[in-house]
Amino acid sequence: MSTLITFLGRGRHDDNTGYRRARYRFPEAGLRESPFFGIELARQLQPARVVILGTPGSMWSVLIEHLVQPNNPSLEAERLALLDAETNQRVTMEQLAPVTEFVREAAGMDAELRLIPGARESDEQIRILQEIAETISGGRLHLDLTHGFRHLGMLGFLSAYFLEALRSVRVDGLWYAALDMTPSEGPQAGETPVLRLDGLDAVHRWIEALARFDSSGDYGVFAPLLERDGLPEDKANCLVEANFLETTLNLAGARQRLRTVLQELESNPLAGASGLFQGKLIDRLAWARSNDLGDNQRKLALRALGRRDYPRAAIFGFEAFLTRLCSDEGEDPSDHANRERVRDGFAQTLDREPEWKHEAWHLLRQLRNAMAHGTPPRHRRVREIIRNRQRLHRELEAAIQRLNST
């Protein structure tokens, strides 16, 4: 099911010309003239249903006059009652209910008329989002942000992503009829351009993707955005694969996939919103440039710590130290048997190490084991640390930095 949500404004009335009409120029679809853009957009898009939202002072009578009255003059009494009520900003749902069916017939699709408050205060703004959520349960969504108070456009923009989060909804288009951009001269004089706000949508989705990555570490959130703006599909899929490989602690594989993407990003500027965020993405992938496995693990440990992923921070931090021990002894750190042998050998010689290294080793190892297995640590101090969020963060960071300092 596809739905168009549109806002009904107050309108401007002139005793000689009536309510202002506009000639809307749709992209590659010709002109449509009307005092109400939302209906013309609905006729252009042909959604399964249209939801018309307006305040008690919106031009409901004009909607009825434009859609229904020429074909049904018997509704004149209802239109006049709406005109009087909207003048005093007192339109009620009881007044809208009798004309809803006539609007559906005239529009040629399912239609719902719904009152919303003026959004003067935060409670009213939340109510509008609730009202919008009640009108749609899923499917594809188009939003017309043209009419209504200026701040309703911002609420409408927000509601698109609110609905994606709350319902099984996919936002297909954000629309705006730019009356102030109507040219007074030239071949398109008097024609109001109809804009798709795809650029704003793309920027919002990039901001959202960056926030999701910073909280989860999932490179795959960028793949569809980059592919839409020109990154080849196989390169975009490398981000999905890199996330899987890093999650399974295969950093060599993850590094290889990310380098493929880095090479593409650093060689070719991307189009659209991806071009705006290209540098930010490169920064987040930059760890993969290094061939030093220990350095990779240390950086990922601190990144995991920054998003409060304490188990992964402890795992990467401990493994970074083992990698360094292997390298110092000339052993291949990618060989599991070597890592175990070096780990056990270091544990047997801990008494010869400085006290700070002895404590950091035991703390990081016990924290890693406790969080990996979900069992309480044996030592009282470590149990106290793991029960306190601020202390765990502080002690874990200190242990990672101490063991992996150059």
Side-chain angles (χ1 to χ4, degrees):
M1 163 138 349
S2 59
T3 302
L4 168 65
I5 295 179
T6 181
F7 291 89
L8 186 63
R10 291 287 298 273
R12 299 177 185 177
H13 185 268
D14 183 275
D15 291 337
N16 296 318
T17 62
Y19 282 90
R20 182 172 182 176
R21 303 173 69 88
R23 299 170 66 216
Y24 298 108
R25 167 66 68 180
F26 284 83
E28 302 178 0
L31 289 168
R32 293 181 179 273
E33 184 172 346
S34 173
F36 181 45
F37 172 67
I39 289 296
E40 301 311 315
L41 180 60
R43 287 170 171 163
Q44 178 64 37
L45 298 175
Q46 288 296 306
R49 60 194 292 263
V50 59
V51 178
I52 303 172
L53 305 174
T55 68
S58 293
M59 53 179 185
W60 297 104
S61 65
V62 180
L63 176 67
I64 303 307
E65 180 180 18
H66 176 66
L67 281 178
V68 178
Q69 192 189 28
N71 301 318
N72 198 328
S74 64
L75 289 177
E76 179 65 4
E78 286 82 354
R79 187 189 72 82
L80 291 175
L82 283 170
L83 177 59
D84 179 66
E86 71 194 37
T87 300
N88 297 291
Q89 301 188 42
R90 293 178 180 174
V91 173
T92 65
M93 281 303 300
E94 288 73 18
Q95 290 177 295
L96 295 178
V99 300
T100 299
E101 185 59 38
F102 296 102
V103 172
R104 290 172 182 159
E105 292 178 6
M109 64 192 67
D110 187 21
E112 181 176 354
L113 312 183
R114 188 178 282 254
L115 284 175
I116 57 173
R120 293 178 178 84
E121 300 174 352
S122 59
D123 288 348
E124 288 189 348
Q125 293 157 15
I126 296 299
R127 276 180 55 200
I128 290 176
L129 293 177
Q130 291 172 335
E131 291 280 350
I132 293 175
E134 290 175 5
T135 68
I136 186 167
S137 59
R140 296 180 293 110
L141 176 67
H142 288 268
L143 263 126
D144 165 28
L145 307 177
T146 303
H147 293 296
F149 297 121
R150 291 181 184 273
H151 63 302
L152 289 181
M154 290 185 284
L155 270 172
F157 183 79
L158 174 64
S159 72
Y161 307 104
F162 168 70
L163 288 171
E164 281 194 337
L166 194 66
R167 301 280 192 255
S168 299
V169 170
R170 187 187 76 193
V171 176
D172 273 359
L174 301 173
W175 299 85
Y176 180 73
L179 191 63
D180 291 341
M181 294 174 64
T182 305
S184 57
E185 299 177 350
Q188 294 185 339
E191 298 177 5
T192 297
V194 175
L195 312 179
R196 284 195 64 159
L197 304 181
D198 292 342
L200 294 181
D201 175 67
V203 168
H204 171 87
R205 293 189 186 282
W206 259 103
I207 293 172
E208 184 182 57
L210 286 170
R212 287 172 59 195
F213 172 78
D214 289 341
S215 64
S216 70
D218 182 1
Y219 306 106
V221 299
F222 302 115
L225 303 178
L226 291 166
E227 190 175 343
R228 184 173 66 179
D229 285 338
L231 189 71
E233 181 181 359
D234 60 327
K235 303 296 192 301
N237 193 52
C238 282
L239 290 168
V240 179
E241 294 178 3
N243 179 65
F244 168 74
L245 293 167
E246 184 180 310
T247 302
T248 55
L249 306 185
N250 182 353
L251 295 194
R255 184 172 60 203
Q256 181 184 22
R257 302 306 192 282
L258 293 181
R259 282 180 176 175
T260 299
V261 180
L262 276 169
Q263 183 177 5
E264 189 75 22
L265 293 177
E266 292 171 338
S267 302
N268 302 303
L270 292 172
S274 295
L276 296 176
F277 295 93
Q278 198 161 347
K280 291 292 184 182
L281 180 56
I282 288 172
D283 290 344
R284 283 161 171 78
L285 308 184
W287 71 266
R289 292 196 185 103
S290 173
N291 288 322
D292 186 334
L293 177 60
D295 182 61
N296 297 158
Q297 291 166 327
R298 181 185 64 83
K299 288 178 178 177
L300 291 175
L302 295 176
R303 179 179 287 180
L305 185 68
R307 62 175 183 266
R308 294 177 173 79
D309 184 353
Y310 298 122
R312 189 164 293 273
I315 291 170
F316 276 133
F318 188 77
E319 295 303 319
F321 181 62
L322 286 185
T323 298
R324 183 178 174 189
L325 287 178
C326 288
S327 298
D328 289 346
E329 296 186 15
E331 300 286 356
D332 180 5
S334 64
D335 184 274
H336 180 71
N338 285 344
R339 295 180 76 85
E340 286 194 335
R341 184 169 56 254
V342 169
R343 179 198 63 197
D344 294 342
F346 180 79
Q348 292 172 4
T349 60
L350 263 179
D351 292 341
R352 306 174 198 167
E353 300 291 340
E355 184 65 23
W356 63 266
K357 184 177 286 189
H358 187 283
E359 290 184 0
W361 161 272
H362 276 300
L363 176 61
L364 193 55
R365 186 175 186 181
Q366 290 180 51
L367 286 174
R368 183 201 65 169
N369 291 341
M371 289 186 285
H373 301 296
T375 55
R378 288 179 298 173
H379 293 82
R380 178 180 176 183
R381 175 172 174 266
V382 183
R383 288 198 301 271
E384 291 174 351
I385 290 173
I386 207 170
R387 290 171 183 166
N388 184 293
R389 177 170 56 86
Q390 290 84 2
R391 188 176 178 188
L392 173 62
H393 193 107
R394 183 174 63 251
E395 296 278 4
L396 191 53
E397 181 177 20
I400 292 170
Q401 295 282 33
R402 285 175 181 173
L403 284 179
N404 294 287
S405 60
T406 55

